Amino acid sequence: MRAEALKGHLDGLLLATLEHGPQHGYAVKEALCDATGGRLDLPTGTVYPALHRLERAGLIKGSWSVVGGRRRRTYELTEQGRRSLAGARDHWQEFAAVMSAALGGGPWPATN
Amino acid sequence: MAGHELIERHLRTLAERLPDPVVDELTDGLLASYDDQMERLGDPDAAAQAALADFGDADSVTAAFIRASSARQAAFTLLVAGPIVGLSWGATIVTANGWTSAIPLSSRLAVGVLLGSAVLLLVTAIRDQRHYRTVRLAALGGAGTVAVLDTVMLGTVVTLVPPPSLLLLVALTGSVARIMLAVRAIPAVIARQ
């Protein structure tokens, strides 16, 4: 699946990968790929700008550490991020229900 | 840095375009990806090519960082606000026959130069997709120039005390709002290196 198809949903997906604990950028990308059975394999380099945007919005918080001699930035959800994730889930369920109803193949209601 | 020549070349390109902390983070991600590919493929050249293909080219990564940057967002907001505030001032000057005022030509030219510089800097910040530092500096310069320009307009009104009108009130409010936007944007742009 291409990144463009995720427009409007990428933030929720990234927040969901951080729900169970802190992760660095590459681990976030791998978690998304694993969780979707490889169908959602975003370019690693484009995950980082999205994480920076979420951090600036106060939804995640980053911190530096040194692992194997390399500087690593790890991200975790903030309280605001948890609330945003819950909102994204509610919004998705509502959206999916509407789309499923519309595309489900049933007859369209008469308009006149 | 343990890695591969291809990986190091890619990181050097990114280092020319992006701030050091961002490059440190990308280095960690790219090398982690390379390590993973080495485990899967066992061949350094194949692993480096797979890691780079998975990572994305330098142009796409740089453009994604620039699109998400506070500098570009601030420049966009200020540029969009420009025509609204500019039209308010234009209408105010036309209806008040402002061109007959005692403002010297050199001052009018200086305002024109400030306006042109602000537009040029903000457009540069929005259009450049490859040079993060250029975008940041252009956004900073543009925001500063807009703040100075609006301050000059407010100062002119205070000095000349033109007859009050609804258009003048709209123009003054627009300038004050834009100064606040510019002043609020500057620390955020500086802080994000």
Side-chain angles (χ1 to χ4, degrees):
Chain A
M1 184 181 286
R2 293 176 63 82
E4 296 82 46
L6 298 173
K7 224 176 173 93
H9 302 294
L10 180 61
D11 290 2
L13 291 170
L14 294 175
L15 293 175
T17 63
L18 296 170
E19 189 176 23
H20 302 297
Q23 306 251 39
H24 59 95
Y26 181 66
V28 166
K29 179 256 181 198
E30 284 294 279
L32 262 181
C33 186
D34 291 346
T36 57
R39 281 173 292 181
L40 193 55
D41 195 9
L42 301 175
T44 309
T46 57
V47 168
Y48 292 95
L51 289 171
H52 284 214
R53 185 168 43 75
L54 292 177
E55 185 177 16
R56 206 166 53 241
L59 302 180
I60 61 176
K61 188 175 69 177
S63 58
W64 288 102
S65 59
V66 177
V67 178
R70 300 201 296 255
R71 290 186 81 209
R72 172 166 290 174
R73 191 156 180 82
T74 304
Y75 297 94
E76 61 184 312
L77 278 185
T78 62
E79 269 315 304
Q80 192 186 340
R82 288 188 190 284
R83 286 196 296 275
S84 178
L85 174 58
R89 281 206 173 103
D90 289 347
H91 179 259
W92 172 252
Q93 278 161 6
E94 189 183 340
F95 177 75
V98 168
M99 291 303 288
S100 297
L103 297 174
W108 288 89
T111 54
N112 55 5
Chain B
M1 182 192 306
H4 187 280
E5 172 55 27
L6 286 175
I7 303 269
E8 285 173 13
R9 196 185 310 156
H10 200 68
L11 289 171
R12 277 198 299 273
T13 305
L14 290 170
E16 287 165 7
R17 300 178 181 187
L18 294 166
D20 292 346
V22 170
V23 175
D24 284 350
E25 192 177 6
L26 294 176
T27 299
D28 178 52
L30 186 50
L31 291 178
S33 175
Y34 174 68
D35 292 344
D36 267 7
Q37 297 295 348
M38 270 300 285
E39 269 184 35
R40 285 174 200 159
L41 303 170
D43 175 57
D45 290 344
Q49 283 167 5
L52 288 172
D54 173 66
F55 192 78
D57 62 86
D59 284 350
S60 306
V61 174
T62 309
F65 267 104
I66 288 174
R67 273 197 304 277
S69 71
S70 47
R72 189 172 182 277
Q73 284 163 10
F76 184 78
T77 307
L78 288 170
L79 198 63
V80 167
I84 302 165
V85 180
L87 279 175
S88 306
W89 279 115
T92 304
I93 291 167
V94 168
T95 54
N97 290 328
W99 55 82
T100 60
S101 72
I103 299 172
L105 180 64
S106 57
S107 301
R108 297 181 198 202
L109 285 175
V111 168
V113 169
L114 274 178
L115 178 61
S117 305
V119 171
L120 187 68
L121 287 164
L122 294 174
V123 168
T124 301
I126 288 169
R127 287 185 61 90
D128 194 324
Q129 297 282 312
R130 293 185 60 169
H131 305 97
Y132 190 94
R133 289 180 189 92
T134 304
V135 169
R136 194 167 147 260
L137 287 174
L140 272 176
T145 310
V146 164
V148 170
L149 179 66
D150 280 317
T151 305
V152 166
M153 296 306 286
L154 295 180
T156 306
V157 169
V158 168
T159 309
L160 298 179
V161 197
S165 71
L166 184 60
L167 277 172
L168 179 63
L169 183 66
V170 170
L172 287 173
T173 307
S175 275
V176 170
R178 205 163 58 163
I179 289 171
M180 288 168 68
L181 267 177
V183 169
R184 280 180 61 186
I186 288 171
V189 174
I190 291 172
R192 295 302 295 186
Q193 300 202 15

